[in-house]
Amino acid sequence: MKGNPLLAIGSSLLLGLIGVLLMDSTITANDKKTKPSVCANPHPEQLCTAANTCGSSSSPCVLEVKRTGGGYDSSVTPNIPGFPKEPGPICIAPGTSVTWKGEGKNTGIMVDFGSSSPFDPGGTIMGGSDRPVTVQTKNPGCYKYTVGACNPGSIYGMCGDSDFDLIVTGSGK
């Protein structure tokens, strides 16, 4: 007795599709490890110390963005001597001038705080290694943000990006 070849092909395609979907969800689940946000802390400003506070009202803070993890992630490094390799949040005092720039040659950056930005002017910060962007901190609080580092010729969505926390302290430390 012969089987129905269309049924066999359809079943094989369906099993293949299910396998691909299961593999994709496993890869996606393991792709980015979500770290807990310090903004969930009821008093995130208590996490600010001299070791993670960048700049002051009289001294600018420079935040350098670069691609990491084979180009799939980004990192932000402040101009704080001895800033830890596994950084926690970056703290900044209100009124501090903050300069965002790309690390190395030809690195474009995008920094997005969503609908709530601690800076003036607000909105997405777009610049690069040859176009640093300077903004002023204005609103104390804890902010989650996404930062992306792009190489020249990158297609939208193909920049390394990562999520971080920024604390604007309640006083000019």
Side-chain angles (χ1 to χ4, degrees):
M1 185 157 198
K2 291 185 179 179
N4 185 343
L6 290 178
L7 182 60
I9 293 172
S11 297
S12 296
L13 288 174
L14 182 60
L15 286 175
L17 179 61
I18 290 171
V20 168
L21 290 174
L22 287 174
M23 263 186 5
D24 184 52
S25 65
T26 303
I27 291 170
T28 303
N30 294 327
D31 202 24
K32 291 247 184 189
K33 294 181 178 157
T34 306
K35 58 184 176 184
S37 171
V38 300
C39 294
N41 183 319
H43 300 286
E45 68 280 357
Q46 293 176 349
L47 301 171
C48 296
T49 65
N52 68 349
T53 300
C54 186
S56 67
S57 58
S58 61
S59 173
C61 174
V62 178
L63 299 173
E64 192 171 72
V65 177
K66 70 178 179 179
R67 288 178 74 119
T68 59
Y72 296 106
D73 296 316
S74 297
S75 68
V76 178
T77 305
N79 62 332
I80 301 171
F83 190 71
K85 294 263 185 220
E86 282 296 320
I90 296 171
C91 299
I92 303 173
T96 301
S97 178
V98 178
T99 299
W100 294 86
K101 67 179 192 171
E103 181 264 342
K105 187 178 180 185
N106 299 323
T107 302
I109 63 166
M110 288 184 85
V111 183
D112 186 18
F113 285 88
S115 61
S116 177
S117 175
F119 298 112
D120 187 24
T124 301
I125 298 168
M126 293 185 286
S129 51
D130 62 340
R131 291 176 298 136
V133 177
T134 301
V135 289
Q136 192 89 12
T137 55
K138 61 177 180 172
N139 298 322
C142 192
Y143 299 89
K144 292 186 67 53
Y145 67 100
T146 300
V147 63
C150 310
N151 288 333
S154 294
I155 299 170
Y156 177 76
M158 294 186 70
C159 300
D161 69 313
S162 299
D163 297 324
F164 295 98
D165 299 302
L166 178 86
I167 299 171
V168 178
T169 60
S171 63
K173 273 192 169 181

